[in-house]
Amino acid sequence: MSLSVYTVESLTPKQVAGFIDHALLRPEMTIDEVIEGCKLCAEYHAFSVCVKPCDVKLAAETLKGSSVSVGTVISFPHGNSSTPAKVAESLQALEDGAVELDMVINIGHLKSGKHAEVEEEIRQVVSKSKAKYPAVIVKVIFECSLLTNEEIVTACKLSTKAGADFVKTSTGFSTGGAKIPDLKLMRSSCPPNVQVKASGGIRNLDYLIECLNAGSTRIGCSGTKPIVEELLARKANPNYKPAASTPQSSNAPGSNY
């Protein structure tokens, strides 16, 4: 499929924010911080906020009347819950006001070759969620840093067959996040109707643009404000030099958002 080519010059602040699922997922995050993050999303017109399941009601109430969608994570961050638990968590999140679900694949079972089981689990979450809430968007998180290229391709195929709307690189809480080769591989391994989300370690405008040009249509990060402000600064000053940054330089768990 033909990909769009994005540049600093071609993008507007509203477009950049409109690609972002703003992550509010740190385990120590307080209620006040969640509310503050939701308000920031509304101010900058992020596509959505991605909160912990316990914060879905709070986010939905805070963002009521705004254009920002509410998403949450399922079996996060390890993907080790049973299939019935993943389905129940999904349905509860939708009842609480989520419209997007980012579910973690069963990584160990994928690596063990239990492909039919992994596919059926994704199908259960997708089908039972969409049966009650047809407009829900389901994304499948792979944790690419723990997978081989062959396993990434297999995960793309299983997710596609199971009816997922997106495949997603990472939780942001493992040993790595969004890598350009992984994004390109995911994009080439899925049909056009299955989109790709990059998440983990996307901390500046240039890397966000790289991820878009590699085939991503959604970006998971917590840096909405600094990224949009960087775009505004660079458009205002042609001589602007962004601070040196090394996306994905840290391997510390939890550091990649």
Side-chain angles (χ1 to χ4, degrees):
M1 62 182 292
S2 177
L3 301 179
S4 299
V5 177
Y6 298 98
T7 64
V8 171
E9 293 73 26
S10 68
L11 285 166
T12 67
K14 187 174 182 179
Q15 281 179 306
V16 168
F19 286 115
I20 294 176
D21 290 346
H22 186 86
L24 299 173
L25 297 170
R26 288 184 289 106
E28 76 278 16
M29 188 165 276
T30 66
I31 289 173
D32 287 343
E33 288 175 316
V34 173
I35 293 171
E36 182 182 353
C38 288
K39 290 180 177 178
L40 183 146
C41 288
E43 178 185 353
Y44 281 84
H45 305 287
F47 185 92
S48 77
V49 62
C50 188
V51 297
K52 294 171 287 187
C54 62
D55 293 327
V56 169
K57 278 189 178 180
L58 176 65
E61 290 167 2
T62 304
L63 290 165
K64 188 176 181 179
S66 78
S67 63
V68 182
S69 297
V70 175
T72 192
V73 286
I74 302 299
S75 193
F76 191 85
H78 300 304
N80 294 332
S81 301
S82 67
T83 298
K86 287 183 178 181
V87 170
E89 188 175 29
S90 299
L91 294 176
Q92 183 63 57
L94 294 168
E95 184 178 327
D96 289 345
V99 296
E100 301 205 347
L101 305 173
D102 292 26
M103 67 166 288
V104 185
I105 204 167
N106 191 313
I107 302 163
H109 286 187
L110 174 69
K111 294 184 75 67
S112 299
K114 301 182 76 171
H115 297 162
E117 179 184 296
V118 171
E119 180 185 335
E120 181 58 23
E121 180 170 271
I122 299 168
R123 181 176 288 108
Q124 287 289 314
V125 171
V126 172
S127 62
K128 292 188 177 181
S129 296
K130 289 182 182 286
K132 287 195 172 183
Y133 300 88
V136 64
I137 298 296
V138 180
K139 312 185 195 95
V140 181
I141 307 174
F142 293 174
E143 208 69 277
C144 289
S145 63
L146 304 181
L147 304 179
T148 65
N149 284 351
E150 183 180 358
E151 289 166 343
I152 291 171
V153 171
T154 297
C156 286
K157 292 178 178 178
L158 298 176
S159 299
T160 297
K161 289 170 65 179
D165 300 291
F166 275 81
V167 292
K168 176 179 171 181
T169 56
S170 338
T171 62
F173 286 81
S174 186
T175 57
K179 302 288 183 66
I180 300 304
D182 292 340
L183 290 168
K184 290 180 177 179
L185 180 61
M186 292 164 72
R187 181 61 277 161
S188 67
S189 301
C190 291
N193 63 299
V194 178
Q195 299 181 64
V196 177
K197 176 176 173 178
S199 69
I202 303 169
R203 304 185 186 93
N204 61 54
L205 178 62
D206 285 334
Y207 201 61
L208 179 145
I209 292 173
E210 279 192 68
C211 291
L212 293 176
N213 288 335
S216 303
T217 52
R218 203 79 70 81
I219 302 293
C221 71
S222 58
T224 302
K225 179 177 179 177
I227 288 171
V228 172
E229 294 293 337
E230 181 185 342
L231 177 62
L232 288 167
R234 290 172 71 169
K235 284 184 175 292
N237 179 10
N239 297 318
Y240 177 92
K241 294 187 183 301
S245 180
T246 54
Q248 290 305 307
S249 60
S250 173
N251 287 326
S255 69
N256 289 318
Y257 269 119

